[in-house]
Amino acid sequence: MNNILDTIMNIQVFAFIGLLIWLYFKPDRKDLTDEHKKK
Amino acid sequence: MKNPLLIVALMITTIIAIWGIVDTPGLADFAKKTVATEFTSRAWFIMLTVSFLLITSIWLAFSKYGALKLGKDNDEPEFSTLSWLAMLFSAGMGVGLLYWGTAEPLTHFLSVSDFDDSKTAAETALFLTNFHWGFHAWAIYAVTGMVIAYFSFRLEYPSLISSPIICVFGQTRLPRIVGWIADLMAIVAIAIGLGGSVAMGVFQVKEGIEVLFGLQDTGFGLTLGVFSVLCLSYILPLTVDLGKGMALLSNAAMLVAGALLIYLLLMGPTYFLMGGIVQGMGEYLGSFFVHGFRTFTFMDDKVGNWFQSWTLTYMVWWLAWAPFVGVFIARISKGRTIREFLICVITIPSAFSVLWFGVFGGLGFYGILNTDLPILNVVRDNISGVTFYVLDQFPLSSVTTAAVILAAFLFLVTSVVSAAFVLGMFSTGGDLNPSTRIKLSWGFILGALGLVMILSDSIDAVKSIIALGALPFVFIVLLLVVCFLKALKKERI
């Protein structure tokens, strides 16, 4: 398989995993937290 | 534009259907190449994802969050536990189990026997089949269903794939765009996945009719005939609200399949089948966790190709079905706790699969190891006919053959009708009563996609096209898990 394509495809995956981890730890907006607590 | 999601989803699926009908080999070839590239490059990611989903499920079930209800704290389950379990069975017990019951273990046997002696090969083949239909597969469904149920029943959002994203990240532009794309991907994955199941079911019903009536060389005519009858059969249920009628039909198919299982277990070599089931169960429980991380990276191309065309294809196939089955199991699970939901959804259908393949696969292995029947030749030449060939070795074969045809047909009709409903719901922003016109449009598209897969006349092509539709959903399901875990952090327990 083309090495460059393989590298690009896996960099996308690494970036996606990084994004997920960042999203998980990112503090929530206050209005959303309040709305959630109401429910 | 009134409903851009519906229009774009219909356009994409229609284009795929037209492409497949006009240039079937072209689509199949494109799917095979794209999927091979994806599988070669990202096999580790797919296996890691499914193992992660299973580990997350186990952690959630036994954590403090396990006591949370999929609904408000005072909601009680809508269905009795027994009836709920029966419905879980029928969700997992689609036409796939009927098709692959004997065919899959024996196909693995053929591949593995190149490396092992036949007795070890049978053991490995049964383990691999149990792995493909076991905890990992059901963890994919369970997580998707749990996330949909949590946001629908506890936080009162529409039953959509986009709901967790919009709930957790807000109604701003970016989450809405990502949510819109997630809904679109779910629709495409469901439509293509269903098309593949239609093709498999039609292939099997056609083979069954040939065996039942002693027909030979019916060519493409009978296949198209079966397909036409199927299309006519699901038009009526799509135009009227049958309420619980579809559940009844699905349960009837389940009963026929269950009766067949018991009949074969008792009429066949019971000691051999029960021995195989117990051994298969032990092998599976002993190795499923490690196998979930196995990528066969250090093996030769032959093994690598097998891994791509079976294990990886199955895992993305379950991902393709996840939004569809997830919505179904979410709807019937309101009021259950997360612990109860995860443990039951993952373990009970998996146990049933072990039983199913133990009997159907066991019959095949018995024929190979203890008789001179040319079963492996049937596996090589006509995979859709393997189940019927095995049934033919037992008394009342015309009755059992008719039972398989009936069950496969009922599963097909109920699957297409339910899928058209879910697609209608997804493409109209979560409308629980999509109009007849929209359901019929989806019924038509599902039929057309089914026809594409039938025209490809190759189960390998069918598998590649399904994988192509399902691949983006690997990313979506992980995003849903993050949304869910973030929402859990706000629960006061």
Side-chain angles (χ1 to χ4, degrees), chain B residues 78-136:
Chain B
E78 201 177 332
F79 301 95
S80 71
T81 303
L82 201 65
S83 163
W84 178 60
L85 293 178
M87 283 190 272
L88 282 183
F89 275 146
S90 73
M93 170 68 224
V95 74
L97 275 183
L98 283 171
Y99 187 91
W100 292 111
T102 308
E104 180 171 347
L106 297 199
T107 312
H108 297 326
F109 178 87
L110 267 178
S111 310
V112 179
S113 52
D114 287 350
F115 305 93
D116 271 327
D117 71 82
S118 56
K119 288 182 177 61
T120 320
E123 214 172 275
T124 311
L126 197 55
F127 168 78
L128 292 169
T129 312
N130 286 335
F131 177 80
H132 293 153
W133 296 78
F135 296 150
H136 290 77

Side-chain angles (χ1 to χ4, degrees), chain B residues 213-235:
Chain B
F213 297 103
L215 305 172
Q216 279 177 339
D217 299 327
T218 52
F220 224 55
L222 184 58
T223 310
L224 288 179
V226 172
F227 175 71
S228 310
V229 174
L230 170 71
C231 291
L232 290 174
S233 309
Y234 70 66
I235 285 175

Side-chain angles (χ1 to χ4, degrees), chain B residues 82-98 133 138 141 246-258 321 324-325 328-329 332 345 348-350 352-353 407 410-412 414-415 418:
Chain B
L82 201 65
S83 163
W84 178 60
L85 293 178
M87 283 190 272
L88 282 183
F89 275 146
S90 73
M93 170 68 224
V95 74
L97 275 183
L98 283 171
W133 296 78
W138 280 93
Y141 287 162
M246 290 325 287
L248 279 177
L249 275 185
S250 172
N251 287 348
M254 191 60 216
L255 272 178
V256 172
W321 275 67
F324 170 45
V325 179
F328 173 74
I329 56 178
I332 61 171
V345 172
I348 291 171
S350 302
F352 187 76
S353 297
L410 286 177
F411 276 131
L412 274 179
T414 51
S415 297
S418 314

Side-chain angles (χ1 to χ4, degrees), chain B residues 255-440:
Chain B
L255 272 178
V256 172
L260 190 67
L261 183 78
I262 294 169
Y263 173 79
L264 290 174
L265 178 65
L266 298 178
M267 292 304 289
T270 312
Y271 77 94
F272 184 90
L273 299 179
M274 284 311 297
I277 289 167
V278 172
Q279 186 168 333
M281 193 165 61
E283 294 274 340
Y284 179 66
L285 289 175
S287 308
F288 77 90
F289 190 75
V290 176
H291 198 79
F293 290 92
R294 201 160 275 155
T295 56
F296 297 92
T297 302
F298 310 113
M299 309 291 266
D300 60 24
D301 280 353
K302 196 175 171 189
V303 179
N305 290 337
W306 172 88
F307 173 60
Q308 289 191 0
S309 57
W310 285 95
T311 307
L312 286 177
T313 301
Y314 262 119
M315 292 306 137
V316 291
W317 196 336
W318 304 135
L319 283 160
W321 275 67
F324 170 45
V325 179
V327 165
F328 173 74
I329 56 178
R331 282 186 69 176
I332 61 171
S333 305
K334 185 180 179 182
R336 304 263 164 200
T337 63
I338 287 180
R339 181 170 301 126
E340 187 182 14
F341 177 87
L342 288 174
I343 292 176
C344 291
V345 172
I346 293 176
T347 56
I348 291 171
S350 302
F352 187 76
S353 297
V354 168
L355 197 65
W356 183 268
F357 287 108
V359 171
F360 279 81
L363 287 173
F365 292 137
Y366 186 82
I368 294 168
L369 300 172
N370 298 309
T371 68
D372 297 325
L373 293 170
I375 297 180
L376 287 178
N377 292 339
V378 183
V379 176
R380 277 192 205 96
D381 301 336
N382 178 18
I383 198 161
S384 307
V386 178
T387 303
F388 299 111
Y389 182 79
V390 171
L391 291 179
D392 208 27
Q393 313 308 319
F394 292 93
L396 300 174
S397 65
S398 53
V399 177
T400 50
T401 299
V404 170
I405 295 172
L406 178 69
F409 200 79
L410 286 177
F411 276 131
L412 274 179
V413 173
T414 51
S415 297
V416 175
V417 173
S418 314
F421 169 80
V422 172
L423 288 170
M425 196 178 86
F426 276 5
S427 55
T428 53
D431 181 358
L432 289 174
N433 294 302
S435 70
T436 303
R437 199 159 52 97
I438 287 176
K439 283 191 288 180
L440 276 176

